[in-house]
Amino acid sequence: MNWLLMLHISTLVFWVGFLLYLPALVSFSPDTERTSLASDFPEPAVTRMLFTHVATPIALLAIIAGTLVFVAYQIIQPWLIVKMTLVVLLVVNHIVVGLLVMRAETGNERFLRSWCLLSTGTTCSLATAVLWLVLAKPDLG
C-alpha cells in the first residue's frame, strides 16, 4: 500500500508543478511577448503538447491513485471531504490552464497574463490548503 501512497504524492507534486509551469509558458509565449526573453520559451504547440500529453495524464494518475488510497486505507473523515473538494477545484483550475493554452494559440491575448497570474495564485492556494489538510488532519466534525 505504501507504493500507492508514494505514487499519489509524486504524481500530485508533478501535477501541481505543471499547473505552475504552464501558465508561465503561456504568458511568455512568443506571440504574447516580443522580447529576447520570449525566444527562450517554446512555441504554443509545445505548450499544448505538454498540457495534453504530460500534465493531463499525470493529473488523471494522481486522482486515480488518490482515490485508490482512499479506498485501500478506508479513510472516512470530514477533512478528506474538504480535501476532495479542493482537488475538484484543482481540476477546474487544470481546465482553466487548458483554456489559457488554447487562447494563446488563437492569438487572443486580451488579459492573458492576468488570467495566467490568477491561475498560478489559485494553484498555490489550493495546493497549500490540500497540504495543510493532509498534514494537520483537523477535526472538522
Side-chain angles (χ1 to χ4, degrees):
M1 290 303 164
N2 286 337
W3 66 270
L4 193 58
L5 187 59
M6 246 352 222
L7 176 67
H8 174 59
I9 292 169
S10 61
T11 54
L12 186 64
V13 166
F14 278 105
W15 181 28
V16 169
F18 272 106
L19 288 180
L20 294 173
Y21 181 62
L22 288 170
L25 284 180
V26 168
S27 66
F28 289 110
S29 68
D31 293 337
T32 59
E33 184 68 28
R34 309 248 185 250
T35 65
S36 62
L37 177 65
S39 64
D40 296 337
F41 287 88
E43 293 294 320
V46 174
T47 306
R48 184 193 227 352
M49 187 274 306
L50 282 173
F51 179 79
T52 57
H53 296 298
V54 182
T56 300
I58 285 175
L60 291 172
L61 190 57
I63 292 167
I64 291 168
T67 304
L68 291 175
V69 166
F70 165 69
V71 171
Y73 287 107
Q74 298 177 352
I75 303 169
I76 302 173
Q77 295 179 359
W79 67 265
L80 184 64
I81 304 303
V82 175
K83 177 197 174 240
M84 289 185 165
T85 304
L86 294 175
V87 170
V88 167
L89 293 175
L90 267 176
V91 170
V92 170
N93 191 41
H94 185 91
I95 293 167
V96 167
V97 169
L99 292 173
L100 292 173
V101 168
M102 288 175 47
R103 193 171 184 182
E105 282 182 346
T106 60
N108 186 356
E109 302 169 12
R110 188 168 183 220
F111 303 116
L112 187 62
R113 283 201 171 166
S114 299
W115 282 106
C116 288
L117 186 60
L118 181 64
S119 173
T120 301
T122 301
T123 299
C124 289
S125 300
L126 291 172
T128 301
V130 166
L131 185 63
W132 179 80
L133 277 169
V134 170
L135 294 177
K137 294 180 181 53
D139 185 20
L140 302 174

